[in-house]
């Protein structure tokens, strides 16, 4: 007989870990106890050495699906306690709060079966859930994670649910949000005239009728309200666009199942796995055929599968696909409260399918591509937040404030870094307010008190203003991090790289250390610092910021600089010649914008990065060749003028020219990379920045660089766009202190 204590660190609370261990321990014929600790759980076991060893060996491979085991620490030889059976001890009241909170999880197979089983007491109940599924992050008001501190606090359990809750053999053992039709929340429906209909079945039927007859319905989901409508009728989608003031941004779709998705999109095995993962992100899939332009103007459709019981019932077996877009007006945060929905979506939605379970925390749908078999996140939010990212030698109590247009922050606690959910554009006042509230919420949830702050170098970012104000008020050290350096380190931390790397950091805009706008950068560095090795020839932006919308201004400048005849425009001419309000930008995004305008693909952008997205969508897939280019200067700059001249004379069609334009950038990058590697001896290359949302580039650049003996890495846990920047800022702050 021996005693074995096992400390398990990781995400092992609120995921059904203790009852799972109960079964495992008994299966091995062992006795002992289990209790929660501040960083996980502690098992104390007794039995024969062989049985204990077998248990320990299995442990890393056997865990409930939501658990993430970071570290297992066994300690042999404790005093024999003579345990009888296996006991789950109450959590010790500890000074340090438990670190980890589960994200929201899609409906599990068991719950789905019950939902559709007429003999089950939860048959067709839109809020059923269990230890393996359901809302978490979005219903938590405070920690510890116990029912009274969640939105479920106002729904006392009925005796049947209570019995399940206390039964260790039951799937709903200690499932905080568990409920049933007797004790839980219910649906109601409100029509455009404000008439309210109670009852799950009644409300569902009204909503389904409206959707089937071309109406727009607001539907309350996990982390906010969606606007839903049929996706087969272009007129309905157009009406939704008009009412929502969303001119051209693609709509996301929800498909009833994989087959319904396959009818309109190509779905690989990896993409199917991602669509069906418990995170249920929106996955950008290639359209099967051109068309469906009323949903998306580019070659991709954002598709997700139903993730709540309510969604399953909504689709029934006769609705295949619905537009499901976040309910918000242009750049405001997603609507998440009932009164707010009724008030602000009046005139947009024809009806409202709502319920009385409150959302505590906004959390938009996550958005990603599937690259190399896994997520390539563009927006990391529902299903992922607030899972931390593990880093090495991390310091506690750091705050990184991110950028501005795609805001996101990070907070640290030891080796865990907690990236926020999707926040949005801080220039919108309500978004800024939500940003500040979410920082406070994360600090409370994870018991973090910032002791140092990082932010961008840009003085005008509202996140910088927040950081400066707070650092001053609280007397904390502040580190301002160069934008592209932060992108580079973000990608390193995402992958887990420590040694210096070469980074291609391509995006629209970021303030450089020389006070000019950067964005087509080849950097060498790590969290301790960087060198700007290469870039692109700066582009004069005629009229400054206006040129990010009116793309023909960039096209004009590119042609002018390349010595080509330009369309008659005396104003532009004078501005360009005299450098009047023509700030220089080496942003790769601007070069894409200019090319999109030159090729007549897009001249008036309605959202950031649209030029690049459409250029990518327009590009021919076959080997189209490339244009000539030159490299110039000590700082190895890509001179695009020969390319612009060749492009102007090229008789090829638009799709081939778009491909050749991008191929030229690939060739240029390969030259910069080789030179950077030659100089530094470094062979690892990271790709980051918003321009790498362009799949044409992301899928081709690695092969080009590998052909030159380099190892290439890209993001897989945080976004390559500015949403992911806070992670890099935090790691740089971590080193700077
Ligand atoms: Zn379940
Ligand atoms: Zn109940
Ligand atoms: Fe950026």
């Amino acid at each position: 007989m021996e005693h074995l204590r096992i400390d398990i660190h990781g995400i092992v609370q609120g995921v059904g870990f203790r009852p799972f261990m109960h079964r495992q321990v008994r299966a091995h014929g062992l006795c002992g106890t289990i209790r929660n600790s501040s960083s996980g759980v502690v098992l104390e076991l007794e039995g024969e050495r062989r049985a204990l060893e077998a248990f320990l060996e299995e442990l890393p491979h056997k865990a409930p699906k939501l658990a993430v085991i970071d570290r297992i620490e066994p300690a042999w030889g404790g005093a024999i306690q003579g345990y009888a059976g296996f006991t789950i001890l109450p959590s010790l009241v500890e000074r340090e709060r438990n670190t980890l909170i589960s994200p929201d999880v899609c409906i599990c197979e068991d719950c789905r079966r019950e939902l559709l089983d007429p003999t089950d007491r939860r048959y067709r109940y839109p809020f059923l859930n269990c230890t393996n599924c359901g809302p978490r992050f979005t219903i938590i008001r405070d920690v510890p994670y116990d029912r009274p501190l969640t939105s479920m606090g106002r729904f006392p359990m009925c005796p049947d649910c209570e019995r399940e809750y206390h039964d260790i053999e039951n799937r709903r053992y200690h499932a905080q949000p568990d409920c049933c039709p007797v004790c839980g929340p219910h649906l109601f429906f409100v029509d455009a005239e404000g008439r309210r209909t109670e009852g799950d079945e009644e409300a569902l039927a009204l909503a389904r009728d409206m959707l089937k007859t071309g109406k727009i319905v607001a539907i309350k989901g996990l982390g906010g309200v969606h606007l839903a409508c049929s996706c087969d009728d272009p007129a309905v989608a157009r009406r939704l666009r008009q009412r929502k003031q969303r001119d051209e941004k693609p709509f996301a779709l929800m498909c009833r199942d994989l087959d319904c998705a396959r009818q309109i999109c190509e779905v690989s095995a990896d993409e199917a796995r991602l669509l069906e993962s418990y995170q249920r992100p929106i996955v950008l899939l290639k359209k099967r055929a051109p068309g469906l332009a009323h949903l998306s103007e580019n070659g991709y459709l954002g598709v997700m599968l139903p993730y709540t019981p309510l969604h399953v019932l909504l689709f029934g077996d006769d609705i295949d696909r619905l537009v499901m877009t976040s309910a918000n007006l242009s750049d405001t945060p997603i609507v998440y409260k009932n009164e707010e929905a009724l008030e602000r979506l009046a005139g947009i939605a024809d009806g409202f399918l709502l319920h009385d379970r409150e959302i505590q925390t906004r959390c938009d749908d996550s958005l990603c591509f599937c690259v190399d078999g896994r997520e390539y996140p563009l927006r990391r939010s529902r299903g992922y937040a607030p899972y931390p990212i593990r880093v090495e030698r991390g310091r506690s109590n750091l705050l990184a404030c991110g950028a501005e247009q795609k805001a996101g922050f990070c907070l640290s606690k030891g080796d865990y870094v907690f990236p926020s959910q999707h926040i949005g554009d801080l220039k919108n006042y309500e978004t800024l307010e939500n940003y500040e509230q979410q920082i406070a919420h994360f600090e409370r949830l994870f018991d973090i008190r910032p002791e140092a702050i990082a932010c961008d170098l840009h003085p005008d970012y509202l996140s910088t203003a927040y950081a400066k104000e707070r650092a001053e008020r609280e007397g904390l050290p502040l580190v301002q991090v160069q934008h592209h350096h932060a992108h580079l380190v973000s990608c390193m931390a995402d992958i887990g790289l420590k040694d210096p790397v070469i980074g291609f950091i391509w995006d629209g805009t970021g303030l450089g250390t020389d006070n000019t706008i950067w964005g087509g950068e080849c950097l060498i560095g790590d969290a301790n610092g960087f060198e700007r090795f290469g870039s692109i020839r700066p582009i004069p932006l005629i009229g400054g910021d206006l040129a990010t919308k009116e793309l023909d201004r960039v096209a004009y400048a590119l042609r002018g600089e390349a010595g080509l005849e330009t369309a008659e425009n005396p104003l532009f001419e004078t501005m360009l010649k005299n450098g009047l309000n023509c700030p220089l930008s080496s942003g790769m995004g601007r070069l894409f914008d200019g090319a999109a305008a030159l090729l007549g693909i897009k001249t008036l952008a309605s959202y950031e990065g649209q030029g690049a997205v459409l250029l990518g969508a327009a590009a021919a897939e076959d080997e189209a060749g490339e244009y000539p280019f030159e490299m110039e200067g000590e700082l190895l700059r890509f001179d695009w003028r020969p390319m612009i001249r060749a492009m102007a004379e090229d008789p090829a069609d638009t799709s081939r020219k778009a491909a050749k334009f991008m191929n030229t950038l690939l060739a240029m990058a390969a030259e910069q990379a080789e030179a950077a590697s030659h100089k530094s001896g470094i062979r690892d290359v990271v790709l980051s920045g918003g321009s790498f949302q362009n799949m044409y580039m992301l899928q081709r650049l690695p092969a080009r660089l590998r052909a030159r003996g380099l190892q290439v890495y890209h993001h897989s846990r945080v976004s390559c766009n500015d949403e992911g920047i806070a992670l890099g800022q935090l790691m740089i702050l971590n080193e700077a202190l």
Side-chain angles (χ1 to χ4, degrees), residues 211 214-219 225-231 233-253 294-295 322-330 345 347-351:
L211 291 169
K215 299 284 199 307
I216 297 166
V217 184
I219 300 171
V225 176
H226 283 119
L227 287 165
C229 68
S230 159
C231 63
D233 183 356
V236 183
R238 207 158 40 234
R239 200 158 67 236
L240 178 54
R241 240 175 241 290
Q242 266 162 13
R243 292 184 185 175
K244 221 189 139 189
Q245 299 164 31
R246 184 189 179 97
D247 326 334
E248 290 171 328
K249 266 194 193 169
F251 280 139
L253 303 183
H294 60 289
L295 303 176
L322 291 170
V323 166
M324 277 278 199
T325 182
S326 299
N328 58 348
L329 275 167
S330 39
L345 304 177
I348 299 180
D350 301 306

Side-chain angles (χ1 to χ4, degrees), residues 433-459:
E433 220 174 29
N434 186 44
Y435 168 81
E436 297 184 2
Q437 284 164 4
Q438 288 308 311
I439 293 177
H441 186 55
F442 268 62
E443 285 175 14
R444 203 167 51 243
L445 285 186
F446 302 114
D447 195 24
I448 293 170
R449 323 233 114 260
E451 288 164 5
I453 304 180
C455 67
D456 199 273
L457 211 52
H458 204 303

